[in-house]
Amino acid sequence: MSSTAVRRTLLYVALLAGALVSVAPYLMTLNASFKTTQGMFSTQAWTPAHPATFSNFSSLWSQYDMSGFMVHTLIVSVAITIGQVVFCSLSAYAFARMEFPGRDLLFWGFVATMMVPQIVTLVPLFFIMSHLQLADTYRALILPYVFGTPYGIFLVRQYFRTIPPDLEAAARIDGAGTWTILWRIILPLSRPILATLATVTFVNSWNNLLWPLMVTSSERTTVVTVGISALQGQYASQLNIVLTAAAVALLPLIAVFLLFQRHIVRSIALTGLK
């Protein structure tokens, strides 16, 4: 066997091992959702559920407001995702294409805030929301994250800079204004990166636990991560119920990824070529 074939084989083995390590926890969670309580504690995590049962799903819906938690999370995640795409696109266009004093200094100063841990801002944010009497409302869950993030603006701005300036110059010669150029030229060419930003934002919003745990206190605003956390305390001896809830919470994320995977792969390919 040639050295090239050996290196390729080792590469495939390493990739396969990495894929198994990444996917194994999700498969074990899905497998546990079909196990009985007795089967959960009497078998290994990777042992297939036998006999498989759907009683965990019926118990989850009959004894707990799982559908309500999913709806609350969907409302919050969709609102944040739409806001992030809109405001990140506007900010990124300004930083990538428009000329104004201190543009680069302002941009890199803004991006530097990515180094600040989220935990540092949680307490001030909580006091602000409490002062505005927004605690335990959807607005408290949405407002801190809807106006764009340094990561999102940086991601979209770098992509905008790869679009040839000649396209914009030609549009201006034809009489197009800034809004027309952004709406009819820049954004249509940037669908892959906007889809990537939407996917990342939706996943982060769906999985956010710390902020919703701090700012919500009633079931009318409880999101799925907080609901599963409470479920763990209520059904500590029934891990199969908790893992069933976790498996159900994964389904929207898988659907979003499958919906946008073509754009995500394309954006990675385009930015990689650059």
Side-chain angles (χ1 to χ4, degrees):
M1 183 180 293
S2 65
S3 59
T4 303
V6 171
R7 285 198 298 270
R8 182 172 297 176
T9 302
L10 292 176
L11 176 62
Y12 287 153
V13 170
L15 291 175
L16 181 61
L20 287 176
V21 170
S22 301
V23 175
Y26 301 102
L27 295 179
M28 290 180 185
T29 299
L30 186 62
N31 183 41
S33 65
F34 293 100
K35 288 185 177 183
T36 61
T37 303
Q38 183 181 2
M40 181 74 193
F41 290 101
S42 61
T43 61
Q44 298 293 337
W46 54 83
T47 304
H50 183 74
T53 176
F54 290 91
S55 61
N56 297 329
F57 294 92
S58 58
S59 299
L60 185 65
W61 252 265
S62 62
Q63 301 175 20
Y64 218 72
D65 188 19
M66 191 65 188
S67 56
F69 299 157
M70 298 281 284
V71 171
H72 301 162
T73 313
L74 187 64
I75 293 172
V76 173
S77 299
V78 169
I80 291 176
T81 301
I82 293 174
Q84 285 273 346
V85 171
V86 171
F87 289 106
C88 285
S89 298
L90 296 176
S91 303
Y93 181 77
F95 284 126
R97 297 296 191 182
M98 300 180 74
E99 297 290 341
F100 54 88
R103 184 192 67 174
D104 292 340
L105 182 63
L106 179 62
F107 172 72
W108 289 113
F110 187 60
V111 170
T113 60
M114 284 196 297
M115 302 298 109
V116 180
Q118 184 192 13
I119 191 71
V120 174
T121 61
L122 285 181
V123 174
L125 273 177
F126 178 78
F127 283 123
I128 292 172
M129 293 301 161
S130 297
H131 181 72
L132 297 175
Q133 298 182 345
L134 297 179
D136 199 27
T137 65
Y138 282 114
R139 285 172 290 177
L141 290 169
I142 294 171
L143 285 177
Y145 302 101
V146 76
F147 295 111
T149 60
Y151 168 76
I153 293 171
F154 177 79
L155 185 72
V156 180
R157 183 247 193 190
Q158 295 304 104
Y159 192 90
F160 282 177
R161 288 171 63 87
T162 65
I163 298 174
D166 293 344
L167 287 176
E168 186 174 349
R172 290 195 182 278
I173 292 174
D174 290 338
T178 300
W179 286 107
T180 303
I181 292 171
L182 176 62
W183 181 251
R184 303 188 65 175
I185 296 177
I186 302 297
L187 293 183
L189 291 174
S190 306
R191 284 176 186 162
I193 201 66
L194 296 179
T196 303
L197 175 63
T199 304
V200 171
T201 303
F202 186 87
V203 171
N204 289 337
S205 302
W206 190 274
N207 291 329
N208 192 7
L209 169 64
L210 200 52
W211 175 243
L213 193 63
M214 286 184 63
V215 81
T216 59
S217 56
S218 65
E219 287 196 357
R220 62 187 174 86
T221 54
T222 299
V223 296
V224 70
T225 51
V226 178
I228 293 176
S229 176
L231 197 67
Q232 188 173 7
Q234 186 172 350
Y235 295 104
S237 60
Q238 299 184 37
L239 284 180
N240 52 327
I241 296 291
V242 178
L243 292 175
T244 301
V248 170
L250 277 175
L251 296 180
L253 302 182
I254 295 174
V256 169
F257 178 76
L258 292 177
L259 184 64
F260 291 111
Q261 65 167 338
R262 181 168 58 89
H263 295 295
I264 294 173
V265 171
R266 188 181 173 201
S267 71
I268 294 173
L270 289 174
T271 52
L273 287 175
K274 297 294 181 182

